[in-house]
Amino acid sequence: LKHLYPPAPLAMSRPEHIAPPEVFYNQDEAEKYAGNSRMIEIQSAMSERAIELMCLPETPCLVLDIGCGSGISGGVLSEYGHTWIGLDISPSMLQVAKSREAEGDMMLSDIGQGFGFRAGTFDGVISISAIQWLCNQDQKSHIPFKRMCVFFVSLYNCMKKGTRAVLQFYPETAEQAEMITAAALKAGFTGGMVVDYPHSTRARKHFLVLMCGTTVHLPPGLTDATAEEQRIGIRNQERLREKRRKGKQRSVKGKQWVLDKKEFMRKQGKDVAGDSKYTARKRKTRF
């Protein structure tokens, strides 16, 4: 299985190696994360895939979003007509989600300490790029496997029988993936790993699909990575062209900008020339 979990290139720095999540995702990083169009596109696509693997009924469901962050995955759930409750350890991320007017209820929570929802509350559970943070020992008292066991026991207890949890994450090594899966099975879940595009470097995605109180064959992972890689490549080229185009353009301040600026200065009590038909008109070049 080690070909499914290749070591990360040395040039790449995983966020969980830099600082604990509540420290790494400060206000600046949270706003940057929520405003990155490429990140939103990737997160939304993975959320849609996770919802597909959850096999939710067509009727509105109550879903738990683990590591909801800025509410991107919750927004996809809302588009499908589901109600959701989100948990995240970063106050800044939750604040950004609130400013984006996310529709779900969100709570500050360290999932490694468990959570006390009533038994059989949720029709499904989704998590995008979150549970790998449990593999870190950010404090002396943190024991990764023990925290995972506490998390999965709490998760099992709050799910309805026959429902699924789909947890997308980025395992650093095969041993890390095995440790997470072992903690889930110890809590009583059945299921396992579904890997989309296993032979692709850029498109590969890992989904831990867990069943609560039932046993069902795992769905196969997606294998046609060509179209996905082409889509990613086209999107990257479009971003580069847009960046170059913006770099070549000069900032043009039109008449409305000038009028707004003058009005703002008037409100500050400054002396400003009156408006006329010549306001913001481009002057002829003088020789």
Side-chain angles (χ1 to χ4, degrees):
L1 293 177
K2 291 195 174 182
H3 70 284
L4 299 179
Y5 311 96
L10 295 176
M12 293 179 61
S13 59
R14 295 172 66 98
E16 56 266 28
H17 291 174
I18 299 173
E22 66 271 24
V23 176
F24 179 81
Y25 289 111
N26 53 29
Q27 190 64 32
D28 292 339
E29 193 66 29
E31 291 178 355
K32 187 191 305 180
Y33 188 94
N36 188 318
S37 59
R38 177 173 177 269
M39 187 65 67
I40 293 173
E41 180 185 0
I42 293 173
Q43 293 280 317
S44 298
M46 290 191 295
S47 299
E48 290 181 358
R49 175 60 171 154
I51 293 171
E52 177 186 342
L53 292 171
M54 265 196 292
C55 296
L56 293 171
E58 294 183 0
T59 55
C61 298
L62 179 60
V63 180
L64 179 62
D65 188 353
I66 303 292
C68 62
S70 59
I72 298 173
S73 51
V76 178
L77 285 168
S78 296
E79 290 176 2
Y80 277 80
H82 301 303
T83 303
W84 57 278
I85 295 176
L87 304 177
D88 204 277
I89 196 173
S90 169
S92 299
M93 276 292 203
L94 294 177
Q95 187 62 40
V96 170
K98 183 179 178 182
S99 65
R100 295 178 71 244
E101 299 182 350
E103 296 182 12
D105 295 325
M106 292 162 287
M107 291 179 283
L108 186 68
S109 174
D110 177 5
I111 60 174
Q113 296 180 358
F115 29 87
F117 292 110
R118 184 180 298 174
T121 298
F122 296 102
D123 301 304
V125 178
I126 187 174
S127 180
I128 305 297
S129 309
I131 63 171
Q132 69 264 17
W133 290 90
L134 289 175
C135 298
N136 281 18
Q137 187 173 5
D138 297 321
Q139 299 179 19
K140 188 176 181 180
S141 60
H142 285 182
I143 302 173
F145 186 73
K146 184 177 179 180
R147 282 168 56 79
M148 285 180 198
C149 289
V150 171
F151 162 66
F152 281 115
V153 168
S154 295
L155 189 63
Y156 188 91
N157 290 337
C158 72
M159 293 174 61
K160 293 180 180 178
K161 185 176 180 180
T163 57
R164 296 187 183 189
V166 179
L167 316 175
Q168 183 277 327
F169 69 106
Y170 293 103
E172 188 172 8
T173 62
E175 291 74 20
Q176 191 179 92
E178 290 170 3
M179 180 173 64
I180 294 174
T181 305
L185 298 180
K186 184 178 179 182
F189 285 106
T190 58
M193 196 75 68
V194 173
V195 183
D196 286 351
Y197 316 120
H199 304 296
S200 170
T201 303
R202 292 192 297 177
R204 184 189 300 115
K205 298 292 183 297
H206 299 81
F207 296 88
L208 183 60
V209 181
L210 303 173
M211 291 81 166
C212 179
T214 186
T215 302
V216 182
H217 289 295
L218 285 176
L222 304 178
T223 56
D224 185 12
T226 305
E228 180 70 7
E229 289 182 332
Q230 288 178 350
R231 187 187 65 81
I232 293 173
I234 291 171
R235 179 61 181 163
N236 289 339
Q237 291 176 5
E238 289 176 352
R239 285 201 311 274
L240 288 173
R241 283 197 295 268
E242 183 68 14
K243 191 173 181 181
R244 293 193 191 104
R245 186 182 66 80
K246 288 182 178 179
K248 292 179 180 178
Q249 287 181 342
R250 293 187 301 174
S251 177
V252 179
K253 298 175 180 177
K255 183 173 182 178
Q256 188 58 46
W257 183 91
V258 175
L259 293 174
D260 292 341
K261 182 70 173 177
K262 291 172 73 174
E263 183 63 26
F264 178 75
M265 294 174 67
R266 290 190 187 101
K267 290 180 180 179
Q268 291 182 320
K270 298 180 180 178
D271 293 331
V272 182
D275 300 334
S276 70
K277 64 178 182 179
Y278 301 106
T279 300
R281 179 176 291 186
K282 185 176 179 181
R283 301 191 180 195
K284 295 181 180 179
T285 305
R286 293 187 179 182
F287 296 94

